[in-house]
Amino acid sequence: FTYATGGLSLWSRDAKDCLRTLEDASAGNVALANPATAPYGRAAMEFLRQGGYWASVAERAVYGENIMQTLQFAATGNAAIAIVARSMLTDSRLPAAACTWPVPETTHSRIEQQAVLLVATNAAAVRFVEFLRGAAAREIVMRHGYGVMP
């Protein structure tokens, strides 16, 4: 079952205008997770294409192995901007951002976080799945930057 939905954000420690950084072909590298292997990368690519940004980003795109490496590219200054999981922005260890911009969820496929119970004979696993379906877990999930299913 889907217990949470993820979102994307643009994030930069240096750029003052996130969208202009995407549009400006001379603004530096744009980091995104590998769209062939990472759900957040696929969603980022959908956003770039739908928003008309891909033409200016294609030559300067750098791909992280995963969404954490993608953020690291921008946090260390090796990319001007990164398209990251919105939930990552709640991390207090993240350097101060010069710009952040929430990517509209209508510009990419929904990013679903799934839970699967493989064997219902493990009582602790069953209790954990029950917890994930409850109000307390929903509040925790939302507090950490994820959406929840109605």
Side-chain angles (χ1 to χ4, degrees):
F1 69 97
T2 302
Y3 70 91
T5 57
L8 294 172
S9 284
L10 301 179
W11 185 91
S12 176
R13 69 176 203 159
D14 299 321
K16 301 296 183 211
D17 186 325
C18 286
L19 290 177
R20 191 172 319 277
T21 302
L22 289 183
E23 295 166 343
D24 181 359
S26 67
N29 291 332
V30 176
L32 61 148
N34 184 339
T37 59
Y40 283 94
R42 267 191 306 279
M45 184 64 78
E46 291 171 3
F47 157 68
L48 291 169
R49 290 180 194 266
Q50 183 177 342
Y53 301 108
W54 184 242
S56 67
V57 168
E59 293 296 317
R60 55 200 179 105
V62 294
Y63 300 99
E65 293 287 321
N66 53 53
I67 199 66
M68 182 57 79
Q69 186 180 41
T70 302
L71 176 60
Q72 187 178 26
F73 286 156
T76 59
N78 290 303
I81 194 164
I83 305 172
V84 300
R86 191 169 302 142
S87 61
M88 300 174 96
L89 303 184
T90 65
D91 189 334
S92 62
R93 298 170 295 174
L94 193 61
C99 75
T100 61
W101 186 77
V103 173
E105 292 180 15
T106 56
T107 63
H108 59 81
S109 301
R110 187 163 58 193
I111 305 166
E112 296 182 345
Q113 308 294 319
Q114 300 290 318
V116 177
L117 181 61
L118 298 177
V119 180
T121 58
N122 182 318
V126 170
R127 283 193 308 277
F128 181 69
V129 166
E130 289 170 357
F131 170 77
L132 277 180
R133 294 182 187 269
R138 292 169 62 87
E139 191 276 316
I140 293 168
V141 165
M142 289 187 297
R143 186 174 58 225
H144 288 279
Y146 292 92
V148 294
M149 302 299 289

